[in-house]
Amino acid sequence: MSVRRLAEDQFQPAAFAFSDENAVWAEKTIQKYPAGRQQSAVIPLLMRAQEQDGWVTRAAIEKIADMLDMAYIRVLEVATFYTQFQLHPVGTRAHVQVCGTTPCMLRGSEKLMGVCRSKIHQHPFERNAEGTLSWEEVECLGACVNAPMVMIGKDTYEDLTPERLEEIIDAFAAGNGAGVKVGPQIDRHLSSPEGGPTTLLDDVAVTRTWVDKAPTTAPADGAPVPPSEAARPKSTDAETNASLKTPATSPKASAKNAKAAEVQPLSGTAASEPAPKAAAGAAVKPSLTDKNRPAGIERPAAPDDLKMISGVGPKIEATLHEIGIFTFAQIAGWKKAEREWVDNFLNFRGRIERDDWVKQAKALAKGGEAEYIKVFGKKPR
C-alpha cells in the first residue's frame, strides 16, 4: 500500500462541525454501541464527515476523536489505513474511481484512465482547473461481469467504452450528473446477458414419471415399496413388516401382534434363541489366588500417594489398595508376570508398560519428588 498522508496545511480548514442533521445522526450512531465500546463508531463517523465535505480533513479527524474520547493518532491510523477515505480535496462535482483490477483491465480500463487523464488531469488525485472533477485508480469494485466500470460517489457506471465515459464526465462537469443513467450502459438489465435472456426461453411442459403413475404391480408381501426402500434387503422381522398394524393405526390389532410376538423367537428365523456367548478373546479378570498376583501388605499408617505416578488416578489407586498395594517400593519391584496380572485386573491392558509405572515408582521410592524431577525432568502429576 502506498504511503497515505494528510493534505498540506494550505488545504486544511481551521475547524470542522457536523451539520445539524448529521450531528443528530452521529449521536444516534454512537448510541448503537454498548458503554465503553463507542469508539467502534469511528469508521461510520469518518465516512459521514467525508460525505459532508467531500474529503476527510485534519479538523474532522480531531473532532471525531474528541466525540469518541480517542487519541488523535488512533483516528488518524484508521483514516490513513482505509483507502475509502479521501485525505486530499477531490472534485466538488465528481470524483471518478476507475477499477483497474484484472477483469476491468482485460476489458479496457486502461483506456478509461486515458480519458480521465485527458478530460480531468494528467495525474490521479489532482483536480481539474475548476476544482470540480478528480479521479483515481482503485481495486475491484465488485461488478466484474460488467467490466470495465467506474464509481462516482456511491453509484457505479458499467459496461463502459471510452466514448461513453467522456459523455458521463462532461455531464458531471456541467452539473448534470444526477441525470446520468447508473448501472450498465448497454442493453442489459443488471448482470443479465446483453439484449435479454438467451436461455430457458421455450415453454416446455414438465413431464413427471413415477410421481403421477400408479404402480402396475405391488409386491406380494405387503405395501408397495417406495424407491428409497427398493435397495434394502428383505426382512421377516416384525419391526420392518409394513403389513403389521401399529398402536397408531389399530390398537386392537397391535395388541394381538404383541401377544403373538411373545411366543415367537426373537429373530423370527429359528425355533429357539441360543444364549449369548462371550466374545472371543474377551478379557477375563484374573483370580485373586493366581500365583502371579503381586504380594500385598497391610495398610500402613501413612501409605504412599500412588496418584503421583502418571497413569494412576483416584479410582485405580483405590483398586490397588484393595489388593494390598500401598507403597512405591511394591510397584517398583513388580516382575513382568506381576505387571501383566495387574494390567488384566485393572482391565487397562498396556497401561503399566506404556506409562512405565515401575520406573516412576523406583524414582519416587528412592528420593520422592526431587528424584522424580531429576529422572524425568518434570514434577510428578
Side-chain angles (χ1 to χ4, degrees), residues 87 101 142 146 152 159 186 202 217 243 254 264 272 303 339-341 345 347 351 357-358:
L87 303 181
T101 44
N146 295 353
I152 302 176
D159 294 303
I186 61 175
D202 299 330
T217 59
S243 65
S254 176
Q264 293 294 328
S272 61
R339 295 196 298 270
E340 292 178 351
W341 186 94
F345 188 80
N347 200 21
R351 167 167 290 192
W357 286 12
V358 172

Side-chain angles (χ1 to χ4, degrees), residues 9-336:
D9 291 343
Q10 67 192 64
F11 297 111
Q12 297 289 349
F16 170 84
F18 280 115
S19 65
D20 293 342
E21 179 182 355
N22 285 338
V24 172
W25 176 90
E27 289 301 324
K28 289 183 178 179
T29 299
I30 294 173
Q31 292 172 9
K32 292 178 180 179
Y33 299 92
R37 297 291 186 268
Q38 293 88 345
Q39 294 181 0
S40 299
V42 62
I43 289 181
L45 263 61
L46 283 171
M47 184 56 68
R48 183 54 65 100
Q50 176 169 286
E51 292 173 356
Q52 176 178 300
D53 288 358
W55 61 294
V56 177
T57 65
R58 179 187 290 110
I61 290 174
E62 295 175 353
K63 174 66 175 179
I64 292 171
D66 292 338
M67 293 175 66
L68 300 177
D69 193 23
M70 296 175 66
Y72 291 167
I73 186 61
R74 297 305 180 199
V75 183
L76 180 63
E77 288 171 345
V78 175
T80 55
F81 180 81
Y82 293 104
T83 57
Q84 67 192 26
F85 297 121
Q86 302 297 333
L87 303 181
H88 294 75
V90 296
T92 56
R93 293 181 178 173
H95 178 66
V96 183
Q97 295 179 304
V98 184
C99 178
T101 44
T102 305
C104 285
M105 186 67 69
L106 294 174
R107 296 277 291 170
S109 63
E110 282 283 8
K111 294 181 179 179
L112 300 186
M113 295 180 206
V115 171
C116 291
R117 292 187 181 96
S118 62
K119 301 285 290 186
I120 302 175
H121 197 283
Q122 184 65 26
H123 302 292
F125 299 106
E126 298 290 342
R127 293 173 291 174
N128 62 354
E130 296 78 16
T132 57
L133 301 174
S134 58
W135 73 280
E136 67 171 308
E137 178 184 354
V138 296
E139 297 302 312
C140 183
L141 292 173
C144 307
V145 70
N146 295 353
M149 63 165 296
V150 303
M151 176 180 283
I152 302 176
K154 294 184 178 180
D155 295 321
T156 60
Y157 302 83
E158 307 150 18
D159 294 303
L160 290 172
T161 62
E163 295 75 19
R164 178 55 183 157
L165 181 57
E166 288 183 357
E167 295 172 357
I168 293 174
I169 292 175
D170 289 340
F172 275 94
N176 299 322
V180 179
K181 173 190 173 184
V182 300
Q185 302 297 304
I186 61 175
D187 182 22
R188 82 155 92 208
H189 175 68
L190 301 179
S191 296
S192 300
E194 182 178 357
T198 59
T199 59
L200 303 178
L201 302 177
D202 299 330
D203 286 333
V204 179
V206 179
T207 303
R208 298 188 293 181
T209 56
W210 65 272
V211 178
D212 295 326
K213 297 179 180 180
T216 55
T217 59
D221 56 352
V225 179
S228 61
E229 304 288 337
R232 293 192 179 184
K234 293 183 178 180
S235 171
T236 58
D237 294 345
E239 291 81 0
T240 58
N241 190 342
S243 65
L244 295 180
K245 305 295 183 180
T246 69
T249 58
S250 179
K252 293 183 178 180
S254 176
K256 182 179 179 181
N257 291 335
K259 290 182 179 179
E262 291 177 358
V263 298
Q264 293 294 328
L266 293 178
S267 66
T269 59
S272 61
E273 294 292 329
K277 296 181 180 180
V284 178
K285 203 164 189 178
S287 170
L288 293 174
T289 60
D290 192 290
K291 65 178 182 178
N292 293 320
R293 173 185 172 180
I297 62 173
E298 293 293 332
R299 182 184 183 91
D304 292 334
D305 183 4
L306 302 183
K307 296 188 298 297
M308 294 179 70
I309 297 176
S310 178
V312 176
K315 185 175 181 180
I316 293 179
E317 182 184 51
T319 304
L320 292 174
H321 287 175
E322 291 176 3
I323 59 175
I325 306 299
F326 295 97
T327 68
F328 298 132
Q330 289 177 275
I331 298 176
W334 284 350
K335 306 301 181 183
K336 181 177 180 182

